[in-house]
Amino acid sequence: MADLFTYLQRNEEQFRKARVASLYSDFRLLRITNPDGYAANIAAWETALAHAVEAGRVPGGHDILSLGTGPELLRALETKEWGRPLALGAVIDEAIAQGHMVPLETFLRSPKSIYERSWTINPFSLLSWGLQQLGLAKARSEHDSLRVGQFVIIRNLEAASRNVLDSLESRERRADRIFPLKMFRKLATESLGLATGLTNRDLSILLVHLSRDKKQIAYNAQVVKFRSARDENLSISTIDTSIASLKSLIMDLNLQVDSLSTKVDDFSGKARIAVAQKNRVSALSNLRSRRLHEGLLESRSATLSQLEDLYVKIEEAADQVETVRVMQESSKALRGIYAELGGLDTVEDVIEGLRNEMIKVDEINSIIGQAEQNSTLMDEDAIDDELVTLEKEQSVRFEQQEALKVKERLEAIRTSTSSERLYGPDHDTLSLREKPDRETQRPELEVNLEVSDESTVGLDKTPHNQIRVAE
Protein backbone atom coordinates (compact mmCIF):
# COMPACT_ATOMS: atom_id res chain seq x y z
CA MET A 1 0.00 0.00 0.00
CA ALA A 2 1.37 3.40 -1.00
CA ASP A 3 2.40 5.98 1.60
CA LEU A 4 0.00 8.59 0.15
CA PHE A 5 -2.99 6.27 0.35
CA THR A 6 -2.01 5.32 3.91
CA TYR A 7 -1.91 9.00 4.85
CA LEU A 8 -5.36 9.58 3.33
CA GLN A 9 -6.92 6.66 5.20
CA ARG A 10 -5.47 7.82 8.51
CA ASN A 11 -6.28 11.51 8.19
CA GLU A 12 -9.28 11.90 5.87
CA GLU A 13 -12.74 11.00 7.12
CA GLN A 14 -14.06 10.46 3.59
CA PHE A 15 -11.42 7.83 2.88
CA ARG A 16 -12.70 5.33 5.41
CA LYS A 17 -12.98 1.78 4.15
CA ALA A 18 -16.69 2.00 3.34
CA ARG A 19 -16.08 4.94 0.98
CA VAL A 20 -12.85 3.91 -0.73
CA ALA A 21 -14.59 1.62 -3.22
CA SER A 22 -16.76 4.48 -4.46
CA LEU A 23 -13.87 6.97 -4.60
CA TYR A 24 -11.63 4.59 -6.57
CA SER A 25 -14.38 3.55 -8.97
CA ASP A 26 -15.18 5.20 -12.28
CA PHE A 27 -17.90 7.44 -10.84
CA ARG A 28 -17.99 9.82 -13.79
CA LEU A 29 -21.36 8.51 -14.94
CA LEU A 30 -22.83 9.63 -11.62
CA ARG A 31 -22.72 13.17 -12.97
CA ILE A 32 -25.94 12.33 -14.85
CA THR A 33 -27.48 9.52 -12.78
CA ASN A 34 -26.62 10.81 -9.29
CA PRO A 35 -25.32 14.43 -9.29
CA ASP A 36 -25.18 14.64 -5.48
CA GLY A 37 -23.03 11.52 -5.21
CA TYR A 38 -20.79 12.76 -8.02
CA ALA A 39 -20.30 16.14 -6.28
CA ALA A 40 -19.57 14.43 -2.94
CA ASN A 41 -16.83 12.27 -4.48
CA ILE A 42 -15.29 15.26 -6.26
CA ALA A 43 -15.25 17.31 -3.04
CA ALA A 44 -13.72 14.41 -1.07
CA TRP A 45 -10.86 14.03 -3.57
CA GLU A 46 -10.20 17.79 -3.75
CA THR A 47 -10.01 18.12 0.03
CA ALA A 48 -7.82 15.04 0.41
CA LEU A 49 -5.34 16.13 -2.27
CA ALA A 50 -5.12 19.67 -0.82
CA HIS A 51 -4.34 18.32 2.65
CA ALA A 52 -1.81 15.83 1.30
CA VAL A 53 0.01 18.59 -0.61
CA GLU A 54 0.06 20.82 2.47
CA ALA A 55 1.50 17.95 4.54
CA GLY A 56 4.19 17.27 1.93
CA ARG A 57 2.96 13.71 1.22
CA VAL A 58 2.55 14.08 -2.54
CA PRO A 59 5.51 12.89 -4.65
CA GLY A 60 7.39 15.32 -6.83
CA GLY A 61 8.90 17.80 -4.40
CA HIS A 62 8.18 19.88 -1.31
CA ASP A 63 5.65 22.25 -2.80
CA ILE A 64 2.72 23.08 -0.52
CA LEU A 65 0.82 25.42 -2.86
CA SER A 66 0.68 23.38 -6.07
CA LEU A 67 -0.02 19.79 -7.09
CA GLY A 68 1.90 17.90 -9.75
CA THR A 69 -0.24 15.38 -11.66
CA GLY A 70 0.93 12.50 -13.81
CA PRO A 71 2.01 8.86 -13.55
CA GLU A 72 3.85 9.46 -10.25
CA LEU A 73 0.67 10.62 -8.55
CA LEU A 74 -1.28 7.62 -9.85
CA ARG A 75 1.40 5.23 -8.63
CA ALA A 76 1.40 6.88 -5.20
CA LEU A 77 -2.37 6.31 -4.97
CA GLU A 78 -2.33 2.75 -6.33
CA THR A 79 -3.35 -0.06 -3.95
CA LYS A 80 -3.46 -3.83 -4.27
CA GLU A 81 -7.13 -4.02 -3.33
CA TRP A 82 -8.57 -1.10 -5.28
CA GLY A 83 -5.95 -0.41 -7.93
CA ARG A 84 -5.66 3.15 -9.25
CA PRO A 85 -8.41 5.79 -8.95
CA LEU A 86 -10.26 5.64 -12.26
CA ALA A 87 -11.90 9.08 -12.07
CA LEU A 88 -8.93 11.15 -10.92
CA GLY A 89 -8.90 12.93 -14.29
CA ALA A 90 -12.49 14.03 -13.71
CA VAL A 91 -11.50 15.36 -10.27
CA ILE A 92 -8.76 17.57 -11.73
CA ASP A 93 -11.01 18.78 -14.56
CA GLU A 94 -13.84 19.68 -12.19
CA ALA A 95 -11.43 21.50 -9.86
CA ILE A 96 -10.13 23.58 -12.78
CA ALA A 97 -13.64 24.28 -14.07
CA GLN A 98 -14.79 25.49 -10.63
CA GLY A 99 -11.68 27.60 -10.04
CA HIS A 100 -10.39 25.47 -7.17
CA MET A 101 -7.23 24.71 -9.13
CA VAL A 102 -5.43 26.80 -11.75
CA PRO A 103 -2.69 25.64 -14.12
CA LEU A 104 0.61 27.03 -12.89
CA GLU A 105 1.61 28.83 -16.08
CA THR A 106 -1.82 30.39 -16.43
CA PHE A 107 -1.71 31.56 -12.83
CA LEU A 108 1.72 33.17 -13.10
CA ARG A 109 1.18 34.89 -16.44
CA SER A 110 -2.42 36.06 -16.19
CA PRO A 111 -2.75 39.83 -15.67
CA LYS A 112 -6.21 39.40 -14.14
CA SER A 113 -6.97 38.44 -10.58
CA ILE A 114 -8.22 34.93 -9.89
CA TYR A 115 -11.23 36.54 -8.19
CA GLU A 116 -12.36 38.24 -11.39
CA ARG A 117 -14.98 36.31 -13.29
CA SER A 118 -15.87 36.88 -16.91
CA TRP A 119 -19.61 37.00 -17.53
CA THR A 120 -19.22 36.85 -21.32
CA ILE A 121 -20.97 33.75 -22.68
CA ASN A 122 -18.98 31.63 -25.11
CA PRO A 123 -21.53 30.11 -27.53
CA PHE A 124 -19.30 27.12 -28.28
CA SER A 125 -18.89 26.35 -24.58
CA LEU A 126 -22.66 26.70 -24.09
CA LEU A 127 -23.34 24.31 -26.99
CA SER A 128 -20.80 21.82 -25.66
CA TRP A 129 -22.36 21.92 -22.19
CA GLY A 130 -25.85 21.33 -23.61
CA LEU A 131 -24.69 18.34 -25.64
CA GLN A 132 -22.99 16.90 -22.56
CA GLN A 133 -26.16 17.21 -20.53
CA LEU A 134 -28.12 15.41 -23.27
CA GLY A 135 -25.51 12.65 -23.43
CA LEU A 136 -24.68 13.44 -27.07
CA ALA A 137 -21.13 14.54 -26.32
CA LYS A 138 -18.48 13.49 -23.88
CA ALA A 139 -16.83 15.87 -21.45
CA ARG A 140 -13.10 16.03 -21.08
CA SER A 141 -13.31 14.36 -17.70
CA GLU A 142 -14.59 11.20 -19.36
CA HIS A 143 -11.28 10.60 -21.09
CA ASP A 144 -9.13 7.93 -19.56
CA SER A 145 -6.04 10.09 -19.43
CA LEU A 146 -5.14 12.34 -16.53
CA ARG A 147 -3.99 15.88 -17.20
CA VAL A 148 -0.26 16.13 -16.66
CA GLY A 149 1.03 19.36 -15.24
CA GLN A 150 1.40 21.57 -12.17
CA PHE A 151 -1.76 23.10 -10.69
CA VAL A 152 -2.05 25.80 -8.04
CA ILE A 153 -4.40 24.80 -5.19
CA ILE A 154 -6.34 27.94 -4.34
CA ARG A 155 -7.43 26.91 -0.83
CA ASN A 156 -3.82 26.24 0.20
CA LEU A 157 -2.69 29.51 -1.36
CA GLU A 158 -5.32 31.57 0.46
CA ALA A 159 -4.46 29.99 3.80
CA ALA A 160 -0.75 30.67 3.28
CA SER A 161 -1.26 34.32 2.30
CA ARG A 162 -3.53 34.85 5.31
CA ASN A 163 -0.86 33.50 7.67
CA VAL A 164 1.83 35.73 6.15
CA LEU A 165 -0.34 38.85 6.38
CA ASP A 166 -1.30 38.06 9.97
CA SER A 167 2.36 37.88 10.95
CA LEU A 168 2.81 41.49 9.76
CA GLU A 169 -0.32 42.91 11.34
CA SER A 170 1.52 44.51 14.26
CA ARG A 171 4.25 46.08 12.09
CA GLU A 172 3.27 49.66 11.34
CA ARG A 173 6.65 51.30 10.84
CA ARG A 174 7.73 51.79 7.27
CA ALA A 175 11.08 50.04 7.62
CA ASP A 176 9.46 47.03 9.28
CA ARG A 177 7.32 46.42 6.18
CA ILE A 178 10.21 46.38 3.69
CA PHE A 179 12.13 43.14 3.12
CA PRO A 180 14.85 41.88 0.85
CA LEU A 181 13.64 38.84 -1.06
CA LYS A 182 15.61 36.30 0.97
CA MET A 183 14.29 37.79 4.21
CA PHE A 184 10.72 37.54 2.89
CA ARG A 185 11.33 33.86 2.11
CA LYS A 186 12.45 33.34 5.69
CA LEU A 187 9.42 35.23 7.01
CA ALA A 188 7.03 33.15 4.91
CA THR A 189 8.71 29.92 5.97
CA GLU A 190 8.33 30.80 9.64
CA SER A 191 4.73 32.00 9.20
CA LEU A 192 3.72 28.72 7.54
CA GLY A 193 5.58 26.59 10.07
CA LEU A 194 7.66 24.78 7.48
CA ALA A 195 10.60 22.64 8.50
CA THR A 196 12.31 23.32 5.18
CA GLY A 197 12.45 26.60 3.31
CA LEU A 198 9.78 27.73 0.90
CA THR A 199 10.47 26.38 -2.57
CA ASN A 200 11.11 28.73 -5.47
CA ARG A 201 7.86 27.68 -7.13
CA ASP A 202 5.81 28.33 -4.01
CA LEU A 203 7.62 31.63 -3.48
CA SER A 204 6.69 32.81 -6.97
CA ILE A 205 3.06 31.72 -6.50
CA LEU A 206 2.80 33.50 -3.15
CA LEU A 207 4.32 36.74 -4.43
CA VAL A 208 1.99 36.87 -7.43
CA HIS A 209 -1.05 36.16 -5.27
CA LEU A 210 -0.21 38.83 -2.66
CA SER A 211 0.55 41.40 -5.35
CA ARG A 212 -2.02 40.79 -8.09
CA ASP A 213 -4.94 39.18 -6.23
CA LYS A 214 -4.65 40.61 -2.71
CA LYS A 215 -2.95 43.89 -3.65
CA GLN A 216 -1.00 43.84 -0.40
CA ILE A 217 2.59 43.97 -1.67
CA ALA A 218 4.79 45.49 -4.33
CA TYR A 219 7.88 43.50 -5.26
CA ASN A 220 10.74 43.16 -7.69
CA ALA A 221 13.78 40.93 -7.89
CA GLN A 222 15.32 42.34 -4.70
CA VAL A 223 12.62 44.02 -2.61
CA VAL A 224 9.23 43.10 -1.18
CA LYS A 225 7.21 45.96 0.30
CA PHE A 226 3.97 45.42 2.22
CA ARG A 227 1.12 47.89 2.16
CA SER A 228 0.38 49.88 5.29
CA ALA A 229 -2.89 51.50 6.27
CA ARG A 230 -1.58 54.91 5.15
CA ASP A 231 -0.29 53.84 1.72
CA GLU A 232 -2.40 55.06 -1.17
CA ASN A 233 -0.11 54.19 -4.08
CA LEU A 234 1.92 51.07 -3.32
CA SER A 235 5.24 51.30 -5.15
CA ILE A 236 8.92 50.71 -4.45
CA SER A 237 11.08 53.83 -4.25
CA THR A 238 14.85 54.21 -4.11
CA ILE A 239 14.56 54.76 -0.36
CA ASP A 240 12.76 51.41 -0.04
CA THR A 241 15.51 49.73 -2.06
CA SER A 242 18.18 51.26 0.18
CA ILE A 243 16.39 50.08 3.33
CA ALA A 244 16.05 46.58 1.91
CA SER A 245 19.74 46.50 0.96
CA LEU A 246 20.74 47.62 4.44
CA LYS A 247 18.53 44.97 6.06
CA SER A 248 20.01 42.34 3.75
CA LEU A 249 23.55 43.36 4.70
CA ILE A 250 22.70 43.29 8.40
CA MET A 251 21.19 39.84 7.95
CA ASP A 252 24.34 38.57 6.22
CA LEU A 253 26.62 40.06 8.85
CA ASN A 254 24.57 38.44 11.61
CA LEU A 255 25.08 35.09 9.92
CA GLN A 256 28.82 35.76 9.58
CA VAL A 257 29.13 36.80 13.22
CA ASP A 258 27.33 33.65 14.35
CA SER A 259 29.54 31.50 12.13
CA LEU A 260 32.77 33.18 13.32
CA SER A 261 31.68 32.85 16.95
CA THR A 262 31.15 29.13 16.42
CA LYS A 263 34.54 28.71 14.75
CA VAL A 264 36.34 30.59 17.54
CA ASP A 265 34.78 28.25 20.07
CA ASP A 266 35.73 25.22 17.97
CA PHE A 267 39.38 26.30 17.65
CA SER A 268 39.54 26.97 21.40
CA GLY A 269 38.22 23.49 22.10
CA LYS A 270 40.65 21.85 19.68
CA ALA A 271 43.57 23.76 21.20
CA ARG A 272 42.66 22.49 24.69
CA ILE A 273 42.42 18.93 23.41
CA ALA A 274 45.84 19.25 21.69
CA VAL A 275 47.39 20.59 24.89
CA ALA A 276 45.90 17.70 26.85
CA GLN A 277 47.39 15.32 24.31
CA LYS A 278 50.70 17.22 24.46
CA ASN A 279 50.46 17.95 20.76
CA ARG A 280 52.17 21.34 20.71
CA VAL A 281 52.07 21.82 16.94
CA SER A 282 48.31 21.23 16.70
CA ALA A 283 47.70 23.45 19.70
CA LEU A 284 49.66 26.33 18.18
CA SER A 285 47.85 25.91 14.84
CA ASN A 286 44.44 26.03 16.46
CA LEU A 287 45.41 29.04 18.56
CA ARG A 288 46.61 30.92 15.48
CA SER A 289 43.35 30.08 13.67
CA ARG A 290 41.36 31.18 16.68
CA ARG A 291 43.25 34.47 16.86
CA LEU A 292 42.64 35.07 13.13
CA HIS A 293 38.93 34.39 13.45
CA GLU A 294 38.70 36.52 16.56
CA GLY A 295 40.08 39.46 14.55
CA LEU A 296 37.52 38.83 11.82
CA LEU A 297 34.80 38.52 14.46
CA GLU A 298 35.72 41.85 16.02
CA SER A 299 35.79 43.53 12.61
CA ARG A 300 32.42 42.06 11.56
CA SER A 301 30.88 42.88 14.92
CA ALA A 302 32.01 46.50 14.70
CA THR A 303 30.63 46.81 11.17
CA LEU A 304 27.38 45.19 12.26
CA SER A 305 27.07 47.61 15.17
CA GLN A 306 27.56 50.59 12.85
CA LEU A 307 25.00 49.28 10.37
CA GLU A 308 22.46 48.64 13.11
CA ASP A 309 22.94 52.21 14.38
CA LEU A 310 22.46 53.44 10.82
CA TYR A 311 19.31 51.35 10.46
CA VAL A 312 17.91 52.85 13.67
CA LYS A 313 18.54 56.34 12.32
CA ILE A 314 16.85 55.42 9.04
CA GLU A 315 13.85 54.09 10.95
CA GLU A 316 13.62 57.34 12.90
CA ALA A 317 13.93 59.39 9.72
CA ALA A 318 11.25 57.30 8.00
CA ASP A 319 8.95 57.79 10.98
CA GLN A 320 9.61 61.51 10.84
CA VAL A 321 8.70 61.52 7.17
CA GLU A 322 5.41 59.85 8.05
CA THR A 323 4.86 62.32 10.88
CA VAL A 324 5.51 65.31 8.64
CA ARG A 325 3.20 63.89 5.99
CA VAL A 326 0.43 63.44 8.56
CA MET A 327 0.99 66.98 9.81
CA GLN A 328 0.75 68.32 6.26
CA GLU A 329 -2.53 66.49 5.74
CA SER A 330 -3.79 67.79 9.07
CA SER A 331 -2.80 71.32 8.09
CA LYS A 332 -4.75 70.98 4.86
CA ALA A 333 -7.74 69.73 6.81
CA LEU A 334 -7.57 72.69 9.20
CA ARG A 335 -7.36 75.14 6.32
CA GLY A 336 -10.38 73.55 4.74
CA ILE A 337 -12.35 73.75 7.99
CA TYR A 338 -11.28 77.39 8.46
CA ALA A 339 -12.45 78.15 4.94
CA GLU A 340 -15.83 76.60 5.73
CA LEU A 341 -16.09 78.81 8.83
CA GLY A 342 -15.63 81.92 6.69
CA GLY A 343 -12.87 83.63 8.72
CA LEU A 344 -12.71 85.44 12.05
CA ASP A 345 -15.21 88.15 11.07
CA THR A 346 -17.85 85.55 10.32
CA VAL A 347 -17.24 83.82 13.66
CA GLU A 348 -17.48 87.15 15.53
CA ASP A 349 -20.74 87.98 13.77
CA VAL A 350 -22.13 84.58 14.69
CA ILE A 351 -21.13 84.99 18.34
CA GLU A 352 -22.59 88.51 18.51
CA GLY A 353 -25.83 87.36 16.93
CA LEU A 354 -25.99 84.47 19.36
CA ARG A 355 -25.47 86.83 22.29
CA ASN A 356 -28.32 89.10 21.10
CA GLU A 357 -30.67 86.19 20.68
CA MET A 358 -29.86 84.97 24.19
CA ILE A 359 -30.70 88.44 25.56
CA LYS A 360 -34.06 88.30 23.76
CA VAL A 361 -34.74 84.90 25.27
CA ASP A 362 -34.03 86.25 28.77
CA GLU A 363 -36.42 89.19 28.20
CA ILE A 364 -39.16 86.85 27.00
CA ASN A 365 -38.67 84.66 30.07
CA SER A 366 -38.99 87.73 32.31
CA ILE A 367 -42.26 88.77 30.67
CA ILE A 368 -43.67 85.27 30.94
CA GLY A 369 -42.68 85.17 34.64
CA GLN A 370 -44.62 88.39 35.40
CA ALA A 371 -47.71 87.04 33.68
CA GLU A 372 -47.52 83.89 35.74
CA GLN A 373 -47.33 85.93 38.95
CA ASN A 374 -50.47 87.89 38.01
CA SER A 375 -52.34 84.73 37.21
CA THR A 376 -51.21 83.32 40.56
CA LEU A 377 -52.75 86.29 42.46
CA MET A 378 -56.06 85.87 40.69
CA ASP A 379 -56.07 82.23 41.51
CA GLU A 380 -55.44 82.98 45.23
CA ASP A 381 -58.60 85.17 45.43
CA ALA A 382 -60.69 82.48 43.84
CA ILE A 383 -59.29 79.91 46.24
CA ASP A 384 -60.12 82.13 49.25
CA ASP A 385 -63.74 82.50 48.07
CA GLU A 386 -64.03 78.78 47.57
CA LEU A 387 -62.67 78.17 51.10
CA VAL A 388 -65.29 80.50 52.63
CA THR A 389 -68.04 78.65 50.77
CA LEU A 390 -66.77 75.28 52.01
CA GLU A 391 -66.63 76.55 55.59
CA LYS A 392 -70.28 77.78 55.39
CA GLU A 393 -71.41 74.46 54.00
CA GLN A 394 -69.56 72.65 56.76
CA SER A 395 -71.18 74.91 59.44
CA VAL A 396 -74.68 74.30 58.06
CA ARG A 397 -74.02 70.54 57.89
CA PHE A 398 -72.83 70.56 61.52
CA GLU A 399 -75.90 72.51 62.74
CA GLN A 400 -78.20 70.06 60.98
CA GLN A 401 -76.45 67.11 62.58
CA GLU A 402 -76.71 68.68 66.07
CA ALA A 403 -80.41 69.48 65.55
CA LEU A 404 -81.04 65.88 64.54
CA LYS A 405 -79.34 64.62 67.72
CA VAL A 406 -81.47 66.94 69.92
CA LYS A 407 -84.65 65.80 68.17
CA GLU A 408 -83.78 62.16 68.80
CA ARG A 409 -83.24 62.86 72.52
CA LEU A 410 -86.54 64.72 72.86
CA GLU A 411 -88.38 61.89 71.15
CA ALA A 412 -86.84 59.47 73.65
CA ILE A 413 -87.88 61.69 76.58
CA ARG A 414 -91.45 62.11 75.23
CA THR A 415 -91.80 58.36 74.82
CA SER A 416 -90.66 57.75 78.41
CA THR A 417 -93.02 60.36 79.87
CA SER A 418 -96.04 58.98 78.03
CA SER A 419 -95.36 55.50 79.33
CA GLU A 420 -95.11 56.72 82.94
CA ARG A 421 -98.48 58.47 82.72
CA LEU A 422 -100.12 55.40 81.23
CA TYR A 423 -98.80 52.66 83.57
CA GLY A 424 -97.92 54.60 86.65
CA PRO A 425 -94.71 55.37 88.34
CA ASP A 426 -94.15 51.75 89.49
CA HIS A 427 -94.17 50.27 86.00
CA ASP A 428 -90.97 48.63 84.79
CA THR A 429 -90.75 50.97 81.90
CA LEU A 430 -87.45 52.74 81.76
CA SER A 431 -87.78 56.23 83.19
CA LEU A 432 -85.53 59.10 83.73
CA ARG A 433 -85.92 58.69 87.50
CA GLU A 434 -84.50 55.19 87.39
CA LYS A 435 -81.83 55.87 84.81
CA PRO A 436 -80.97 59.48 84.55
CA ASP A 437 -79.14 60.80 81.51
CA ARG A 438 -75.43 60.59 82.12
CA GLU A 439 -74.81 63.58 79.99
CA THR A 440 -77.36 65.79 81.85
CA GLN A 441 -76.80 65.33 85.61
CA ARG A 442 -78.86 68.41 86.62
CA PRO A 443 -81.93 68.62 88.90
CA GLU A 444 -84.11 70.14 86.27
CA LEU A 445 -83.92 70.56 82.50
CA GLU A 446 -86.14 72.56 80.29
CA VAL A 447 -86.17 71.88 76.61
CA ASN A 448 -88.34 73.68 74.14
CA LEU A 449 -88.96 71.78 70.91
CA GLU A 450 -90.64 73.11 67.90
CA VAL A 451 -90.70 70.94 64.78
CA SER A 452 -91.75 72.60 61.63
CA ASP A 453 -92.62 71.06 58.34
CA GLU A 454 -89.13 71.83 57.12
CA SER A 455 -87.63 69.68 59.96
CA THR A 456 -86.00 72.65 61.69
CA VAL A 457 -85.43 72.79 65.44
CA GLY A 458 -85.83 75.90 67.66
CA LEU A 459 -87.07 77.21 71.03
CA ASP A 460 -90.78 77.90 71.60
CA LYS A 461 -92.11 79.91 74.56
CA THR A 462 -95.74 78.60 74.34
CA PRO A 463 -96.82 76.89 77.61
CA HIS A 464 -98.28 73.70 75.98
CA ASN A 465 -95.07 72.89 74.22
CA GLN A 466 -92.99 73.16 77.42
CA ILE A 467 -91.93 69.87 78.96
CA ARG A 468 -90.67 69.73 82.52
CA VAL A 469 -88.57 66.83 83.59
CA ALA A 470 -88.11 66.22 87.33
CA GLU A 471 -84.93 64.77 88.66
Side-chain angles (χ1 to χ4, degrees):
M1 186 177 292
D3 292 339
L4 179 55
F5 180 73
T6 303
Y7 168 81
L8 295 180
Q9 276 201 318
R10 290 177 179 176
N11 296 277
E12 297 297 327
E13 179 66 21
Q14 294 297 324
F15 274 75
R16 60 187 183 275
K17 192 171 183 179
R19 288 273 292 135
V20 172
S22 176
L23 293 172
Y24 268 68
S25 67
D26 188 0
F27 57 81
R28 289 173 290 188
L29 293 177
L30 294 179
R31 185 162 54 97
I32 298 175
T33 60
N34 185 7
D36 292 337
Y38 177 79
N41 287 349
I42 293 293
W45 270 111
E46 286 185 13
T47 302
L49 291 174
H51 290 168
V53 169
E54 186 178 9
R57 296 305 184 101
V58 176
H62 300 285
D63 296 326
I64 64 170
L65 303 181
S66 63
L67 169 68
T69 60
E72 290 185 1
L73 179 61
L74 290 174
R75 282 194 297 269
L77 292 171
E78 186 176 2
T79 67
K80 293 181 180 179
E81 184 177 0
W82 308 107
R84 295 183 177 184
L86 300 178
L88 189 59
V91 173
I92 302 301
D93 290 342
E94 287 290 343
I96 294 173
Q98 296 176 13
H100 299 163
M101 292 184 184
V102 180
L104 178 61
E105 293 300 322
T106 303
F107 179 86
L108 295 177
R109 295 180 181 179
S110 176
K112 295 183 179 180
S113 170
I114 60 174
Y115 302 115
E116 293 182 8
R117 293 288 183 266
S118 176
W119 296 100
T120 304
I121 299 177
N122 188 336
F124 297 102
S125 300
L126 183 61
L127 178 61
S128 175
W129 178 83
L131 293 176
Q132 291 173 18
Q133 298 302 314
L134 295 174
L136 301 177
K138 292 184 178 181
R140 176 178 173 80
S141 60
E142 293 182 358
H143 290 292
D144 295 332
S145 61
L146 172 68
R147 290 196 190 201
V148 179
Q150 200 74 20
F151 301 93
V152 178
I153 303 175
I154 300 303
R155 70 171 70 187
N156 290 15
L157 178 58
E158 289 179 338
S161 64
R162 186 164 51 250
N163 289 335
V164 172
L165 293 175
D166 289 343
S167 67
L168 292 169
E169 187 175 1
S170 60
R171 302 190 183 189
E172 291 294 334
R173 306 182 72 176
R174 178 179 179 179
D176 290 339
R177 303 179 76 86
I178 298 173
F179 299 89
L181 191 60
K182 56 186 176 182
M183 187 177 287
F184 171 78
R185 183 196 294 266
K186 181 181 178 182
L187 172 69
T189 301
E190 294 174 352
S191 300
L192 301 178
L194 301 178
T196 59
L198 199 67
T199 64
N200 292 332
R201 181 184 293 149
D202 285 345
L203 179 62
S204 299
I205 294 171
L206 185 59
L207 287 172
V208 170
H209 181 61
L210 290 173
S211 175
R212 182 193 62 199
D213 303 328
K214 294 292 186 179
K215 295 180 174 30
Q216 292 297 317
I217 67 169
Y219 74 98
N220 54 29
Q222 292 83 26
V223 183
V224 177
K225 179 182 179 181
F226 282 82
R227 178 187 294 275
S228 68
R230 296 182 295 270
D231 288 335
E232 297 180 358
N233 297 321
L234 187 61
S235 60
I236 297 175
S237 64
T238 55
I239 297 176
D240 299 330
T241 303
S242 300
I243 293 174
S245 299
L246 181 59
K247 294 179 77 171
S248 177
L249 185 56
I250 292 174
M251 180 180 178
D252 292 339
L253 284 175
N254 276 315
L255 294 176
Q256 293 178 22
V257 167
D258 292 340
S259 177
L260 289 172
S261 298
T262 303
K263 288 182 179 181
V264 168
D265 294 338
D266 290 342
F267 286 128
S268 297
K270 290 178 181 180
R272 292 190 186 94
I273 294 173
V275 170
Q277 294 176 353
K278 298 182 180 181
N279 189 345
R280 189 170 182 275
V281 175
S282 178
L284 289 173
S285 176
N286 284 293
L287 289 174
R288 291 190 187 97
S289 298
R290 188 194 70 177
R291 182 66 59 85
L292 177 62
H293 285 83
E294 283 179 347
L296 291 174
L297 178 60
E298 290 178 1
S299 176
R300 295 292 187 275
S301 298
T303 303
L304 178 61
S305 178
Q306 292 176 358
L307 292 179
E308 287 178 342
D309 290 341
L310 178 60
Y311 179 73
V312 171
K313 297 296 183 182
I314 290 176
E315 279 188 325
E316 293 177 355
D319 292 342
Q320 291 172 357
V321 170
E322 293 294 328
T323 302
V324 172
R325 186 172 64 85
V326 172
M327 293 175 65
Q328 289 176 347
E329 294 177 354
S330 301
S331 177
K332 292 179 182 179
L334 288 175
R335 283 197 297 268
I337 295 173
Y338 182 75
E340 292 180 2
L341 291 176
L344 294 176
D345 295 337
T346 303
V347 175
E348 290 178 354
D349 293 340
V350 171
I351 297 300
E352 184 64 25
L354 181 61
R355 188 180 295 110
N356 293 334
E357 295 301 324
M358 292 176 66
I359 293 174
K360 292 179 182 179
V361 170
D362 293 338
E363 293 176 352
I364 293 172
N365 289 334
S366 177
I367 296 172
I368 293 174
Q370 293 177 358
E372 290 179 351
Q373 291 179 0
N374 294 333
S375 62
T376 302
L377 294 175
M378 295 176 63
D379 291 340
E380 290 292 335
D381 295 339
I383 290 172
D384 290 340
D385 295 340
E386 186 175 357
L387 179 60
V388 171
T389 303
L390 290 175
E391 288 176 348
K392 290 181 179 180
E393 292 178 355
Q394 182 65 23
S395 177
V396 171
R397 190 179 299 109
F398 178 77
E399 291 176 357
Q400 290 177 352
Q401 291 176 354
E402 290 297 323
L404 183 61
K405 290 180 181 179
V406 171
K407 180 181 178 181
E408 290 176 352
R409 289 178 184 175
L410 292 177
E411 289 293 337
I413 293 171
R414 183 182 298 164
T415 303
S416 176
T417 304
S418 300
S419 176
E420 187 175 315
R421 289 176 181 176
L422 180 62
Y423 296 101
D426 296 332
H427 195 265
D428 293 334
T429 305
L430 180 64
S431 64
L432 290 177
R433 183 181 299 272
E434 296 173 353
K435 295 182 180 180
D437 190 354
R438 294 178 183 178
E439 296 180 359
T440 57
Q441 296 292 335
R442 292 179 296 178
E444 186 175 341
L445 174 66
E446 286 187 358
V447 179
N448 291 329
L449 174 65
E450 181 180 355
V451 181
S452 64
D453 294 338
E454 290 82 5
S455 299
T456 59
V457 178
L459 294 178
D460 190 357
K461 295 182 180 181
T462 56
H464 63 274
N465 285 334
Q466 190 178 40
I467 300 174
R468 186 178 187 83
V469 182
E471 180 180 359

